[in-house]
Amino acid sequence: MTLSAVAVFCGSSLGTDPAFAEAARLTGRTLAERGIGVVYGGGHVGLMGTVADAAIEAGGRVVGVIPRQLDDRELSHRGVTELHVVESMHERKQLMADLSDAFIALPGGAGTLEEIAEQWTWAQLTIHAKPSGFLDVAGFWAPMRQMLETMVSSGFVRAEQSGIVTFDDDLDALLEALAAPPSWTDKWGAATVPKP
């Protein structure tokens, strides 16, 4: 599968480890250099703004999607290729999903986790067949990887669905995994998944 656009979910803060911002810069730059569009939350602050700035500097296409409430607080990035101002967080996530072929989570807080978890859930339910990846910067997502293993061993996630989510500390390897054709079953074990 060719990735034409990837949604990047990440913090609206920079976090405490400089490795987080470096990973955000690398992600934005790498996607742009590969001709993969960046779809993100539309802000100019934190890791979100860092991803966007790096992609823009590398000549990439950057599409921001931001709720009006945050746009009204002047948090929108005005230098992106395209900015969509929507009415709700629900509309934001739906549009980001529609515009993307896959999803990457960089370090972030509750919003980042909620965004990537929703896309993971939609793939489980065969609402779409788009994979999700966690870029595990400085071990940030290690507890989430352990949580997934616990979900599988406890019988809440089928082992056959493991291909929906990938964890890697190497961006190139993560992008390669996200570009692979869907191979997972649906939540109830059916072997068919919808076309991406």
Side-chain angles (χ1 to χ4, degrees), residues 1 28 67 78 92 94 103 110 131 134 157 169 173-174 183:
M1 180 172 79
R78 299 301 177 188
R92 178 198 222 179
Q94 181 66 64
F103 312 94
F134 291 80
V157 173
D169 60 2
L174 185 61
S183 61

Side-chain angles (χ1 to χ4, degrees), residues 4-9 37-42 61-68 80 82-103 114-115 118-119 122 127-128 130:
S4 60
V6 170
V8 180
F9 302 125
V38 173
V39 178
Y40 85 116
R61 176 174 172 75
V62 180
V63 178
V65 184
I66 194 165
R68 188 170 307 284
V80 296
E82 206 174 296
L83 181 67
H84 297 270
V85 179
V86 296
E87 297 304 320
S88 69
M89 292 293 283
H90 297 292
E91 191 178 347
R92 178 198 222 179
K93 290 179 290 183
Q94 181 66 64
L95 184 54
M96 290 178 74
D98 291 344
L99 295 172
S100 305
D101 302 313
F103 312 94
E114 186 264 343
E115 288 168 328
E118 183 161 43
Q119 299 310 324
W122 289 1
I127 293 170
H128 63 52
K130 301 175 182 183

Side-chain angles (χ1 to χ4, degrees), residues 70-188:
L70 298 180
D71 181 58
D72 289 345
R73 294 182 190 170
E74 300 183 351
L75 295 176
S76 296
H77 196 307
R78 299 301 177 188
V80 296
T81 311
E82 206 174 296
L83 181 67
H84 297 270
V85 179
V86 296
E87 297 304 320
S88 69
M89 292 293 283
H90 297 292
E91 191 178 347
R92 178 198 222 179
K93 290 179 290 183
Q94 181 66 64
L95 184 54
M96 290 178 74
D98 291 344
L99 295 172
S100 305
D101 302 313
F103 312 94
I104 292 177
L106 298 177
T112 301
L113 183 58
E114 186 264 343
E115 288 168 328
I116 194 80
E118 183 161 43
Q119 299 310 324
W120 171 9
T121 302
W122 289 1
Q124 275 191 309
L125 299 175
T126 65
I127 293 170
H128 63 52
K130 301 175 182 183
S132 294
F134 291 80
L135 185 59
D136 193 16
V137 183
F140 184 86
W141 290 117
M144 189 65 218
R145 179 183 244 166
Q146 179 61 52
M147 189 71 245
L148 173 56
E149 291 171 4
T150 300
M151 289 174 182
V152 171
S153 66
S154 299
F156 292 106
V157 173
R158 287 178 176 271
E160 297 89 347
Q161 292 187 298
S162 61
I164 294 173
V165 180
T166 300
F167 292 83
D168 211 302
D169 60 2
D170 181 85
L171 180 60
D172 292 328
L174 185 61
L175 289 172
E176 184 177 334
L178 293 178
S183 61
W184 57 84
T185 67
D186 74 4
K187 183 171 175 52
W188 301 275

Side-chain angles (χ1 to χ4, degrees), residues 45-67:
V45 295
L47 297 183
M48 292 172 59
T50 304
V51 169
D53 289 341
I56 292 166
E57 288 167 12
R61 176 174 172 75
V62 180
V63 178
V65 184
I66 194 165

